[in-house]
Amino acid sequence: MINKNRILRGLNSPSKIYKLSLALSSSFYLLGVIIGLFDTEDYLVTNYQEIDITQPRFSFFLQILINNTALVSMIIIGSISFGILSCLLLIVNGYVLGRLINYINTDLGYIYYKNLVPHISEIFGLVLAGSVSFYLIFRFINNKSISLSYFIKDKYLIKYSILSYLLILISAFLEVYISFNL
């Protein structure tokens, strides 16, 4: 029989908890990618439309940034649901990446390939956000409570939360100002 206290005692340092959280977050994202790679239904791209780049690019940048920032926030806040929302969002976003990888070998493959480039930093941002969510869950399980001062004092929580948002900002910039020029 698995002894819960014995497992939790092994997670006594923040760095061990964060490593486990990062592995868990990466695993859920990778699971989504694998599901997307093996899904053969052709419903992701039914009507591809070019984006009208005659509009100001800054408005596209803001739209993408707001969307991705909201996604990162939902993943982090997903710790409230004990990771259910975080897992779901990571799997769905991984699934979309897996589907896009499938479309690289189609007639529109170049378009999908060039649009994947900025998403590399977005992937890291989403996985880091997921790891922050799981980190909060493990810390809550170990400590039974999390106060506001805990958020401010925890170096892993602050550092990786800021880094995930920064990666999302970089991703939005690359998507609007670099991908459209490829």
Side-chain angles (χ1 to χ4, degrees):
M1 184 158 177
I2 297 175
N3 186 348
K4 175 187 155 197
N5 291 332
R6 188 170 152 202
I7 293 171
L8 292 178
R9 272 184 275 145
L11 296 175
N12 54 3
S13 76
S15 65
K16 286 182 182 179
I17 294 173
Y18 195 77
K19 287 176 186 175
L20 176 63
S21 301
L22 188 59
L24 193 59
S25 179
S26 301
S27 298
F28 281 113
Y29 193 86
L30 214 61
L31 175 65
V33 171
I34 292 168
I35 293 169
L37 285 171
F38 288 107
D39 187 8
T40 58
E41 290 294 320
D42 195 23
Y43 52 80
L44 185 63
V45 178
T46 56
N47 186 13
Y48 182 82
Q49 296 177 350
E50 289 286 331
I51 295 174
D52 180 18
I53 59 173
T54 60
Q55 294 180 1
R57 286 195 183 184
F58 188 71
S59 65
F60 285 128
F61 171 74
L62 285 179
Q63 182 181 5
I64 291 168
L65 182 63
I66 290 169
N67 181 51
N68 290 347
T69 302
L71 177 62
V72 166
S73 299
M74 285 190 296
I75 290 173
I76 292 173
I77 292 171
S79 60
I80 294 172
S81 67
F82 283 96
I84 294 171
L85 180 62
S86 303
C87 294
L88 183 64
L89 291 171
L90 287 168
I91 290 171
V92 167
N93 280 279
Y95 173 82
V96 170
L97 177 65
R99 295 300 294 151
L100 286 175
I101 291 170
N102 279 338
Y103 283 108
I104 288 177
N105 294 325
T106 65
D107 294 338
L108 299 173
Y110 176 72
I111 293 169
Y112 294 113
Y113 176 73
K114 76 176 189 171
N115 288 324
L116 281 177
V117 173
H119 294 286
I120 294 169
S121 60
E122 184 178 328
I123 292 166
F124 289 122
L126 294 177
V127 169
L128 279 176
S131 65
V132 169
S133 176
F134 295 124
Y135 179 81
L136 283 169
I137 294 167
F138 287 127
R139 294 298 288 182
F140 177 76
I141 291 170
N142 278 345
N143 297 339
K144 303 294 186 221
S145 68
I146 297 177
S147 65
L148 183 59
S149 64
Y150 174 80
F151 286 102
I152 296 169
K153 292 178 185 176
D154 193 301
K155 67 178 183 176
Y156 289 100
L157 191 61
I158 297 296
K159 180 171 47 172
Y160 293 118
S161 294
I162 291 171
L163 185 58
S164 65
Y165 285 107
L166 183 63
L167 286 169
I168 291 300
L169 174 72
I170 292 168
S171 173
F173 178 83
L174 290 175
E175 190 169 345
V176 172
Y177 294 103
I178 305 296
S179 281
F180 286 154
N181 295 330
L182 293 178

